[in-house]
Amino acid sequence: MSYRTVFALSELEKNDFLPEPLWNQATKLLPQSTWVELPLQDDSQWEALLKKHNPEILVTAWRAKPLPKSLVGTDGFSLKYVCHLPGSVRKLIPREYIEKGVTVTNWGSSISPTISECALMLVLNALRQTNQWNFVMHHDKKWRGDVIESKSLFERRVGIHGFGAIAQSLIPLLKPFRTEVWSYSPSVPDNVFNELGVKRATSLDQLFSECGIIVELAPNTPKNYHVVTEKHLRSIPEPHVFVNVGRGAVVEEAALLRVAKEGKLRMGLDVFETEPLPENSELRGLRNVMLLPHLGGPTPDRRKDSGEYAVRNLERFLKKEPLGSLVTLDVYDRAT
Amino acid sequence: MSYRTVFALSELEKNDFLPEPLWNQATKLLPQSTWVELPLQDDSQWEALLKKHNPEILVTAWRAKPLPKSLVGTDGFSLKYVCHLPGSVRKLIPREYIEKGVTVTNWGSSISPTISECALMLVLNALRQTNQWNFVMHHDKKWRGDVIESKSLFERRVGIHGFGAIAQSLIPLLKPFRTEVWSYSPSVPDNVFNELGVKRATSLDQLFSECGIIVELAPNTPKNYHVVTEKHLRSIPEPHVFVNVGRGAVVEEAALLRVAKEGKLRMGLDVFETEPLPENSELRGLRNVMLLPHLGGPTPDRRKDSGEYAVRNLERFLKKEPLGSLVTLDVYDRAT
């Protein structure tokens, strides 16, 4: 079985997501494929191009333009499957496509480990106060005094808010530190907790007040908007670590700032309610807060994990086997 | 069997190294013990105090003053065992004490894991360019552009120079990242490499030119002085990471600075040839170099690991069993 396929990717995307031997594997699998190099000179060409190639399979990444609502369901438009290499599809694919039976997949959990790697790094940095030492060593041009407040991750209790794919892939990275892991995630069933040896917190309040190291990884659903409040942040016991590699809007950012400015909490933030973080954000300049510009993951060198995952999905599609990380209407509506 | 014992410790040292239940265990074990709280009001009291208590066992840490050469071997001076809670004993204990049969132990490898924790943190930071982002986010007050140079540790090859206790305790921390570990350490036997699944590099040149991530952990023996040269640093392949949590003098620091200033190498340095790092060191201000003020470890919260180790040693001493981490004359002469 062969399908007309369009890889709509920039050269960088092609090289990052589908480096050899993946590109070779993908094109062998799909002999009727064309690579349309993005960006196009003129955005209006996008619709014309889709009509001209009329792909049955479309492989996309960040540089692809939104699929025109008008095309789906029209006579002769053959699109059956959009294999999106990154995560978020809402800006690319109108809901109508899924309603009318177009199959959509994304990178699913294939890239989770690199984001948990960032979480681990921010936890270690918060415990060691690396951000403060960056100020002291590079800007104050000083050394340490007698008392150092460095702390270790060994044998600590870690609380994870949210227990999806990223949180789950954090567990093996924490294991050699002999940590005790708790998590709060009402939607994840008990067996997942049990298999990974993670204790289920009965409430968000309990998670924050019992775990001295909190890793924020809850999805940004309407229910989770600002669900982490000043009370939660203030309740984190010693060693007072709060790391967010999930979504900024889950935390009440004004409260986060108030607590951060007091200096007791050791924070690592990769995500913010408003991104890019405004130039005048008062988080900038705080020695107890490490800031990253939302680069949790995947690091470009691991985009190939998503490419490998996509090639397996394309193969399954050809064999009419069930696909991984299907974006169903339900998933689509819950996505952020 | 009971021995006259003096714990010569500051209150902070007592609490950090021997928190309950360790203090209780130690004093139960040694019913004839006295805690002499340091520092003394007057340094000259130290010798008088040793004469007065005439301990058979002396437990020390950083605040203890050097043991007078004149005492050892004198009639009636009963000292048999110095149980030093930290590592380095050379400033505290004259060589004559060991020559004349006083037993000396230190923390040995009991605190190695926290130093390897620091090594892992610096490697992750170098790969993600965290130090650069600290400048960008806190000082430039900017955000990232389109191209991010973040890299992941997953499936990388890591080269460790030196394969002592700290290097060995780094292996389990690296394991979940599916790294391939090489090490160069002529003195460590093959079976240690084999047991830990580490490949032996045949030369320092090979280690540096074949491993994109170098962790410097070689001891500062005369043979190792400046053994890492500009040529080695320049030969580190992609992702160009160099981390030093061992000893500064192993690396030719002028060469390190020259290479660092070019910006290609991603560095994390906890140790320096001159400590404290001079205020005008040109390493200060470099965005590709994370600097820490020699706080690799143990973090104060893990000094208890050394205390636990010491209590076991005291117990062994009472039972006349072989002690761990004996500072023999050979160890004493090789120490730095």
Side-chain angles (χ1 to χ4, degrees):
Chain A
M1 187 73 196
S2 180
Y3 289 103
R4 280 189 315 279
T5 302
V6 165
F7 291 89
L9 302 169
S10 74
E11 184 160 12
L12 191 73
E13 289 172 342
K14 175 173 168 286
N15 294 340
D16 277 356
F17 284 102
L18 296 164
E20 292 301 352
L22 290 172
W23 178 250
N24 190 32
Q25 284 169 23
T27 49
K28 265 198 175 154
L29 208 59
L30 302 157
Q32 278 184 275
S33 67
T34 313
W35 171 32
V36 172
E37 186 176 347
L38 303 186
L40 301 172
Q41 283 185 318
D42 177 352
D43 279 357
S44 68
Q45 290 180 300
W46 179 234
E47 185 166 346
L49 226 143
L50 290 170
K51 282 181 179 162
K52 180 186 145 203
H53 288 285
N54 193 16
E56 291 161 292
I57 299 177
L58 181 63
V59 181
T60 53
W62 293 296
R63 299 306 287 267
K65 295 286 161 190
L67 297 176
K69 270 193 201 179
S70 56
L71 275 183
V72 72
T74 57
D75 259 8
F77 187 65
S78 312
L79 191 66
K80 290 176 172 41
Y81 175 28
V82 182
C83 179
H84 189 55
L85 296 169
S88 180
V89 300
R90 289 183 67 151
K91 280 181 192 158
L92 178 74
I93 304 168
R95 198 176 192 276
E96 287 80 357
Y97 277 66
I98 303 175
E99 288 168 11
K100 295 196 174 155
V102 175
T103 297
V104 176
T105 61
N106 66 9
W107 63 19
S109 61
S110 62
I111 48 71
S112 302
T114 52
I115 305 170
S116 29
E117 180 181 5
C118 185
L120 175 71
M121 179 186 83
L122 287 176
V123 166
L124 293 172
N125 279 321
L127 287 163
R128 295 256 173 180
Q129 299 187 306
T130 312
N131 194 66
Q132 175 199 284
W133 295 119
N134 275 307
F135 277 80
V136 170
M137 297 294 283
H138 282 298
H139 303 282
D140 305 345
K141 301 188 189 301
K142 292 223 156 45
W143 189 254
R144 63 176 160 88
D146 277 347
V147 178
I148 48 171
E149 295 288 346
S150 285
K151 291 169 193 284
S152 165
L153 178 56
F154 276 93
E155 296 179 6
R156 297 272 181 192
R157 185 183 294 161
V158 178
I160 312 178
H161 181 201
F163 203 52
I166 299 168
Q168 290 171 36
S169 69
L170 179 56
I171 308 304
L173 306 189
L174 293 172
K175 206 176 180 81
F177 294 95
R178 303 188 299 272
T179 51
E180 177 191 341
V181 185
W182 293 28
S183 179
Y184 177 69
S185 174
S187 64
V188 173
D190 279 341
N191 66 307
V192 179
F193 281 76
N194 296 339
E195 273 163 30
L196 290 164
V198 171
K199 184 181 151 90
R200 184 190 276 283
T202 55
S203 66
L204 198 57
D205 291 5
Q206 192 200 36
L207 187 82
F208 275 71
S209 63
E210 296 285 340
C211 300
I213 299 170
I214 295 287
V215 178
E216 184 52 64
L217 275 168
N220 183 22
T221 55
K223 217 175 150 183
N224 279 344
Y225 177 77
H226 280 196
V227 75
V228 175
T229 64
E230 185 158 348
K231 180 191 70 178
H232 291 117
L233 295 169
R234 288 197 188 284
S235 72
I236 302 172
E238 203 275 328
H240 312 295
V241 169
F242 179 77
V243 161
N244 194 349
V245 284
R247 293 290 172 212
V250 170
V251 188
E252 216 187 304
E253 201 161 286
L256 184 81
L257 178 63
R258 277 195 301 277
V259 177
K261 282 163 87 173
E262 290 164 15
K264 193 170 89 172
L265 234 60
R266 303 173 177 210
M267 294 190 187
L269 306 176
D270 184 48
V271 293
F272 307 91
E273 213 168 327
T274 308
E275 294 181 9
L277 184 68
E279 197 183 312
N280 64 357
S281 163
E282 289 179 85
L283 289 168
R284 299 191 193 258
L286 295 181
R287 293 185 175 215
N288 55 318
V289 185
M290 179 167 271
L291 301 173
L292 293 179
H294 200 154
L295 42 78
T299 53
D301 59 344
R302 299 309 307 183
R303 285 178 188 158
K304 62 183 175 192
D305 295 340
S306 157
E308 205 181 313
Y309 189 75
V311 171
R312 280 210 309 276
N313 256 343
L314 290 165
E315 210 167 4
R316 289 186 194 121
F317 186 79
L318 298 182
K319 294 183 181 167
K320 304 197 186 303
E321 291 173 6
L323 304 192
S325 301
L326 267 182
V327 182
T328 60
L329 284 176
D330 191 41
V331 171
Y332 188 92
D333 292 338
R334 277 192 291 119
T336 57
Chain B
M1 187 73 197
S2 181
Y3 289 103
R4 281 190 312 282
T5 302
V6 165
F7 289 89
L9 302 170
S10 73
E11 183 160 13
L12 190 70
E13 288 171 342
K14 176 173 168 285
N15 294 340
D16 276 357
F17 283 102
L18 295 164
E20 291 303 354
L22 290 172
W23 179 250
N24 190 34
Q25 285 168 24
T27 48
K28 266 199 174 155
L29 209 57
L30 302 156
Q32 278 187 273
S33 68
T34 313
W35 170 34
V36 172
E37 187 176 346
L38 303 186
L40 302 171
Q41 283 186 319
D42 177 352
D43 280 356
S44 68
Q45 293 181 299
W46 180 232
E47 187 165 343
L49 226 142
L50 290 171
K51 283 180 179 160
K52 178 186 148 205
H53 289 284
N54 193 16
E56 293 160 290
I57 299 176
L58 181 62
V59 180
T60 53
W62 294 294
R63 300 306 286 268
K65 295 285 161 192
L67 297 176
K69 270 192 202 179
S70 56
L71 276 183
V72 72
T74 57
D75 260 8
F77 187 63
S78 313
L79 191 64
K80 290 176 173 44
Y81 174 29
V82 182
C83 179
H84 189 56
L85 297 169
S88 182
V89 300
R90 289 183 69 152
K91 282 181 192 158
L92 178 74
I93 305 168
R95 197 176 191 277
E96 287 78 358
Y97 278 65
I98 303 175
E99 288 167 11
K100 296 197 172 152
V102 175
T103 298
V104 176
T105 60
N106 66 7
W107 63 20
S109 62
S110 62
I111 48 71
S112 301
T114 52
I115 306 170
S116 28
E117 179 182 5
C118 184
L120 175 71
M121 180 187 81
L122 287 176
V123 165
L124 293 173
N125 279 320
L127 286 163
R128 295 259 173 177
Q129 299 187 306
T130 311
N131 194 67
Q132 175 200 283
W133 295 119
N134 275 306
F135 277 81
V136 170
M137 297 294 283
H138 282 298
H139 303 282
D140 305 345
K141 301 188 189 299
K142 291 221 156 43
W143 190 252
R144 63 177 160 89
D146 276 347
V147 178
I148 47 171
E149 295 287 346
S150 286
K151 291 169 194 285
S152 165
L153 178 57
F154 276 94
E155 297 179 6
R156 296 272 180 192
R157 185 185 291 163
V158 177
I160 312 179
H161 181 202
F163 203 51
I166 300 168
Q168 290 171 36
S169 70
L170 180 55
I171 308 304
L173 306 189
L174 292 173
K175 208 177 178 78
F177 294 96
R178 302 189 300 274
T179 50
E180 178 190 340
V181 185
W182 293 28
S183 180
Y184 177 69
S185 174
S187 64
V188 174
D190 279 341
N191 65 308
V192 180
F193 281 77
N194 296 339
E195 274 163 29
L196 289 163
V198 171
K199 185 183 151 88
R200 186 190 274 284
T202 55
S203 67
L204 198 57
D205 290 7
Q206 192 200 37
L207 187 81
F208 275 71
S209 63
E210 296 284 342
C211 300
I213 299 170
I214 295 287
V215 178
E216 185 52 63
L217 275 168
N220 184 23
T221 56
K223 218 175 147 182
N224 279 344
Y225 177 76
H226 280 197
V227 75
V228 175
T229 64
E230 184 157 349
K231 181 192 71 179
H232 290 117
L233 295 169
R234 288 196 189 286
S235 73
I236 302 172
E238 203 276 328
H240 312 295
V241 169
F242 179 77
V243 161
N244 194 349
V245 284
R247 293 291 171 209
V250 170
V251 187
E252 217 188 301
E253 199 161 285
L256 184 81
L257 178 63
R258 277 195 301 278
V259 176
K261 283 163 86 174
E262 291 165 12
K264 193 170 90 173
L265 234 61
R266 302 172 178 209
M267 294 190 187
L269 306 175
D270 185 48
V271 293
F272 307 92
E273 214 168 325
T274 308
E275 295 181 7
L277 183 69
E279 197 183 313
N280 64 356
S281 164
E282 289 180 85
L283 288 168
R284 299 191 193 258
L286 295 181
R287 294 188 174 213
N288 54 319
V289 185
M290 180 168 270
L291 301 173
L292 293 179
H294 200 151
L295 42 79
T299 53
D301 58 345
R302 299 309 305 183
R303 286 178 188 157
K304 62 183 175 192
D305 295 340
S306 158
E308 205 182 313
Y309 189 75
V311 171
R312 281 209 308 275
N313 257 342
L314 290 164
E315 209 167 5
R316 290 186 192 120
F317 186 79
L318 298 182
K319 294 183 183 168
K320 304 197 187 302
E321 291 174 3
L323 304 193
S325 302
L326 268 182
V327 182
T328 60
L329 284 175
D330 190 42
V331 171
Y332 188 91
D333 292 339
R334 277 192 290 117
T336 58

